[in-house]
Amino acid sequence: MTTTQKSPQEVQEEVRARYAEAALKVEGDGCGGSSCCGGAVDVDESFGAVLYDTDQQQELPAEAVAASLGCGNPTAVAALAEGERVLDLGSGGGIDVLLSARRVGESGFAYGVDMTEEMLDLARQNAAKAGATNVEFLKGTIEDVPLPDASVDVVISNCVINLSVDKPRVIAEMYRVLVPGGRIGISDVVAEDHLDAGARADRGSYVGCIAGALSRSEYLDGLAAVGFVDAEVEFTHEAVPGMHGAIVRATKPTA
C-alpha cells in the first residue's frame, strides 16, 4: 500500500511514530553537545539544526538543537516583538518555542503544541534546562489546537503543516486562535505548481516532509479561503527537485 492509499489515521500514526523515535534517540544519546547528537536523527542538509545560526544553537540545550527536524527557522521570519504571545504548531523538542520565548521576553509567552508524548517530554526537559518560565507545551494536534479563540498574536510552525492529513483544518485553526491583526510566520516544504500529488510522492515520503507538501498556489488559495490577507510564499532553498523550503506569511484582518 502506497502513502496515497493509506488512511489518514495510518499516515498520522506513521508521523507520530517517526517523531517519537527521533525524540527517544536524542534522549538516549545523553550527549553534551549538538554535534554528537546530530547523527541521531536521519535528516539531510535541507533540514534540521543547520538552518539555525551558531549563536541560536548555543543559546539552547543540546537536546533541543539535536531534535530539530525542520526545514527553516520560523523565529527568524516572524518578527517577534516583546510581549507577544506565540504558538508553535508541532513544537517537537522545543527549539522554536524556546527561541520565541527569548524574543518575546518575560512579558510575552510561547506555547508549543505537539501530539507526540515523547517529544513533549523532551521539550519540557529542554525548557527546564534553559530556565524558561514563559513557555507551555500542550498535547494536541495541529488540526484541533487546545487553545481558545483569539489567544495568540503569532503562529509559527517549522516543516509540520506538510505532515498534516487535513491541511484546510490546520489553516482554519491558525486563523481561529489568532487575534485580529495577528500573523503567521511559517517554514514549510512547498511544491512548485506544476508538480501534481503523484510527482510529489515520487520525490519522497510523507513522513519525510515531501509527499504531503502543498503547492504554492494551493497554499495561497487555502489561506485566502479562511480569510487571511497579504499572503505570500517565498521559496528559500530547494529540498528536492521542484520542491522547496519556503517561508509562508499572512495576516488576519483587524476588522
Side-chain angles (χ1 to χ4, degrees), residues 97-208:
V97 172
L98 297 177
L99 288 172
S100 296
R102 288 175 179 258
R103 285 178 178 248
V104 301
E106 292 183 3
S107 61
F109 203 87
Y111 297 97
V113 170
D114 204 283
M115 68 176 180
T116 310
E117 288 282 4
E118 293 84 354
M119 278 295 186
L120 288 167
D121 289 345
L122 179 60
R124 289 164 182 153
Q125 292 171 33
N126 288 332
K129 291 175 183 177
T133 57
N134 59 335
V135 304
E136 184 177 2
F137 293 96
L138 305 169
K139 184 175 183 181
T141 67
I142 63 176
E143 297 87 4
D144 190 12
V145 175
L147 285 174
D149 295 355
S151 55
V152 297
D153 303 292
V154 188
V155 175
I156 63 173
S157 186
N158 195 351
C159 207
V160 173
I161 294 175
N162 59 73
L163 299 172
S164 172
V165 295
D166 190 350
K167 295 175 182 64
R169 175 75 182 213
V170 176
I171 293 171
E173 280 291 271
M174 291 194 294
Y175 192 89
R176 179 185 68 81
V177 300
L178 281 170
V179 298
R183 64 195 186 280
I184 64 171
I186 291 167
S187 295
D188 211 355
V189 171
V190 180
E192 295 175 11
D193 288 338
H194 69 276
L195 293 180
D196 61 20
R200 297 171 214 175
D202 287 342
R203 284 160 168 76
S205 72
Y206 209 105
V207 297

Side-chain angles (χ1 to χ4, degrees), residues 72-92:
N73 182 351
T75 62
V77 301
L80 302 179
E82 187 86 16
E84 289 189 313
R85 297 159 296 169
V86 185
L87 167 64
D88 181 20
L89 298 180
S91 47

